Amino acid sequence: MTIKDTLYLHVGWSKTGTSAVQKQIQHQYEDFLSRGILYPQTLQWADHSHHPFALSFQSSGAYKSDMNPPQALEKLKLEMVSSQAKDVLLSSELSPFYFNNPAFKNFVKEYFSEVKVVFTVRRQSELLLSLFNQLVKDPNVRYRASLFNLAMRNISWLNYFENIKRWSSVVGKENIIVIPYSTNITEDFLHIFNIEKKSSDENTSDIVNPSLPTRCLSLVQEKTKIAKDNAEFLEIRNNIINKSKDIPLVEDTYILFSVPEQQSFDHYFSRSNQALSTITDIDLTGLTNQEYKEIKVIHPDFDI
């Protein structure tokens, strides 16, 4: 097989618009091909992410792949052989640090001239709240711990500089691409490849993986404790969401994430974020110059 030029790895972070990006890439699959970039079709989940590929190297909680690394790489190779594209793009926010795997390292060395790694980043306090929302709403996770607990468990993961430095030590800092999260994240991502965003015939909103109404988070955590299975969990969760529409906002009295807490959390990362700005020449001031807002929710003991 002819050696390809570049392997692009879009590795996250989670909750930075990755689902919207993946949907848009798939929608413009032919545009990517016209630019000589293959977005593999056989390694996708229904959401158009390459999670099966990523999870074959390292599972993530309840999520696992039906392939091992050699099988995933062989599947990728077969699709590469059948394509004239000179580059390949893989996108999964569940991606591990691939270069710990000898099979992956050898595969890249044999079939690619270079690797570029793409990161999408977001203000850490916002990402933490969005991740909390994702875990609470997911019937396969049913996250019961506090937001503080989640923060402490993910301190290292949320240090963008230290994690990106690990990748750059392998691929070179010149091959690191960082995109700050915004409402234009899909456009910003496509811009890397000189591709203009096209709307689809279906709903063009970038809200691909809708969150719970934030005010329902603590209530869902509390009331779904009795759920015996996923179906009952979803029934309780959806019932809370529907009934919450009739609950006055004055009932949002339980403080989930105060402004001082958010500011302190983000301040912890300010030095490492500045270091990341320095090595990538990317302006990350937008991560912290947005206004903070107290996050209040319906009290978990509210009778619903």
Side-chain angles (χ1 to χ4, degrees), residues 7 244 283 288:
L7 172 62
S244 71
D283 182 10
T288 55

Side-chain angles (χ1 to χ4, degrees), residues 52-89:
F53 182 85
L55 293 170
S56 72
F57 291 88
Q58 181 178 301
S59 59
S60 177
Y63 298 102
K64 296 176 174 58
S65 178
D66 59 355
M67 300 176 289
N68 59 34
Q71 290 170 333
L73 290 169
E74 181 61 23
K75 209 166 187 177
L76 174 58
K77 178 182 175 181
L78 289 174
E79 196 159 348
M80 288 165 54
V81 167
S82 65
S83 174
Q84 297 298 313
K86 60 183 180 62
D87 301 328
V88 174
L89 168 62

Side-chain angles (χ1 to χ4, degrees), residues 28-37 85 195:
Q28 297 190 229
Y29 171 74
E30 294 295 338
D31 292 328
F32 275 85
L33 276 183
S34 70
R35 295 282 185 182
I37 304 166
I195 294 174

Side-chain angles (χ1 to χ4, degrees), residues 77-118:
K77 178 182 175 181
L78 289 174
E79 196 159 348
M80 288 165 54
V81 167
S82 65
S83 174
Q84 297 298 313
K86 60 183 180 62
D87 301 328
V88 174
L89 168 62
L90 293 171
S91 178
S92 172
E93 63 272 28
L94 301 181
S95 293
F97 183 72
Y98 289 113
F99 291 96
N100 276 341
N101 185 277
F104 182 85
K105 287 195 293 186
N106 291 334
F107 184 87
V108 169
K109 184 177 180 180
E110 183 174 0
Y111 295 115
F112 292 95
S113 299
E114 65 175 356
V115 179
K116 291 185 180 292
V117 189
V118 184

